[in-house]
Amino acid sequence: MAVYKTRRPTRTVHVCWGQNDVTIGGMSPVRVQSMTNTATADVEASVNQVLALSRAGSELVRLTVNTPEAARAVVRIREKLDAAGCDVPLVGDFHYNGHKLLTEVGECAQALSKYRINPGNVGKGERGMENFARMIEVALRYEKPVRIGVNGGSLDPEILAQMLEANRAKGMPETPSEVQLHAMVASALQSARQAEALGLPADRIVLSAKVSGVEGLISVYRELSASCDYALHLGLTEAGIGTKGVVASAASMGVLLAEGIGDTIRVSITPMPGAARTEEVRVAQELLQTMGLRAFSPLVVSCPGCGRTSSSLFQELAARTQRYLVDMTPVWREKASGFENMTVAVMGCVVNGPGESRHANIGISLPGNGESPVAPVFADGEKIATIKGESGDAESIMGRFEELINEYVLSHYAKNK
């Protein structure tokens, strides 16, 4: 937990709905956020996805609010979520016409728990300042926090042009890319100070400055963190698909989190075809858990396999065990406490299998090539069972191991034992 203790202090922001008060910043846990990819005007589809994201562990869910129909739909989405017993705070994502939607559909402004404003997309010059002010006025009226989110792809062109010209006048000491990162920080801070001048308290402001490059993200957030004490939302925008998106997000946000920077995170990966939207929530949770910042669900320790592993049984068992732990987490949460920190080992041969299994809370060591067809199961360093190995039925091995995991959780972590 050393990383958590070194987090840089920021102001605490409260994002509420009903009795659910999600605290951001200060010494609160780093929060996991996600965003729907449904058309917000499609109420049923949006409700179902918000429910899925919330059940997966997303503590805030953002919705696109881009049309009057979408704004009105937000109200019905909130009502249906409340009826389903889901009090996850909803964040409205506004670009270009947010000032109109928030003022013209007041019930939408009330139903949302937080607004996201991109200062590069509110308009230019005096018109942009007026539009920004209208959105802040709504936030004040309904006592809502605001995330001021600057994106590299939609940066205020006037600020960028001014800083590029100043760089040229100095003889180009920095590259245009470096100037752009400084401009993002300047834009975020300028907008935050404008919001404060309009009356929005600093403890209702969250800042973000997203780019799609790993080094750029690290650089911009280091500068932003050193320049203010606003709560910060981390995310590598347009991270990509598959392993590229996961690795890039972890590489960039992992560095920042290790330096104590970041109060909420979102992993903006493109879902694989057919994959659930909840994948981004799981990746964010695993990033935080791997770094020792939070615990969400037991994790599997498993070997990669080698010439000694004679079948795919250990791969199948590792995958199934991981799914089982995720599926059982909401069930165990009702009955047990502290199980989220548990590790489960699935090893494929005698070399490291028994040792790693003994070091885990509970683990199984499957037989490798030429080894005796038995699979010992260890709990807290002691052998508690032996399951028939490769010569046996894979389904029965998996089923028995799941039973032993469940028994371990209920006997070691049960509430009111």
Side-chain angles (χ1 to χ4, degrees), residues 392-406:
D393 174 59
E395 186 65 29
S396 64
I397 294 174
M398 294 178 184
R400 178 58 182 146
F401 188 48
E402 289 175 355
E403 290 175 358
L404 291 170
I405 294 172
N406 187 54

Side-chain angles (χ1 to χ4, degrees), residues 320-347:
R320 174 162 165 170
T321 300
Q322 185 68 73
R323 290 194 301 271
Y324 176 73
L325 296 175
V326 172
D327 291 343
M328 289 298 292
T329 289
V331 178
W332 289 332
R333 195 169 284 134
E334 298 297 319
K335 305 175 182 179
S337 176
F339 70 92
E340 299 91 347
N341 296 292
M342 187 173 72
T343 58
V344 180
V346 179
M347 306 303 293

Side-chain angles (χ1 to χ4, degrees), residues 42-228:
D42 186 338
V43 173
E44 290 304 320
S46 298
V47 167
N48 289 336
Q49 193 169 87
V50 172
L51 287 171
L53 291 167
S54 176
R55 288 166 182 157
S58 182
E59 293 160 291
L60 300 99
V61 177
R62 186 155 47 110
L63 297 158
T64 296
V65 189
N66 57 341
T67 65
E69 292 76 19
R72 288 190 289 269
V74 166
V75 182
R76 306 206 313 272
I77 291 168
R78 181 74 270 173
E79 291 171 349
K80 287 181 175 289
L81 291 173
D82 291 344
C86 177
D87 59 1
V88 64
L90 298 179
V91 182
D93 192 61
F94 295 97
H95 297 271
Y96 308 112
N97 60 352
H99 56 290
K100 291 183 178 180
L101 297 176
L102 282 171
T103 53
E104 294 174 3
V105 190
E107 56 271 35
C108 170
Q110 285 183 293
L112 292 168
S113 296
K114 181 165 163 258
Y115 312 149
R116 188 273 177 138
I117 303 173
N118 183 340
N121 289 338
V122 297
K124 297 180 180 179
E126 289 296 323
R127 177 67 61 84
M129 294 180 64
E130 292 173 4
N131 294 342
F132 182 80
R134 287 173 65 184
M135 299 175 79
I136 297 302
E137 288 166 5
V138 174
L140 287 168
R141 186 183 314 149
Y142 296 110
E143 299 183 336
K144 307 291 185 178
V146 172
R147 171 157 73 93
I148 296 172
V150 180
N151 273 34
S154 53
L155 179 61
D156 186 330
E158 293 183 11
I159 291 178
L160 180 58
Q162 291 170 5
M163 295 187 71
L164 285 170
E165 179 58 35
N167 188 53
R168 279 192 291 270
K170 295 177 183 177
M172 300 286 287
E174 295 184 301
T175 67
S177 295
E178 290 171 333
V179 174
Q180 181 183 29
L181 296 178
H182 294 316
M184 291 179 66
V185 173
S187 175
L189 294 175
Q190 177 179 298
S191 296
R193 287 161 186 154
Q194 287 175 349
E196 284 199 72
L198 291 165
L200 190 67
D203 60 5
R204 273 200 254 150
I205 297 173
V206 179
L207 297 186
S208 66
K210 294 186 177 183
V211 295
S212 57
V214 171
E215 291 184 0
L217 192 80
I218 294 170
S219 176
V220 76
Y221 271 96
R222 281 174 173 167
E223 182 178 348
L224 190 59
S225 177
S227 304
C228 70

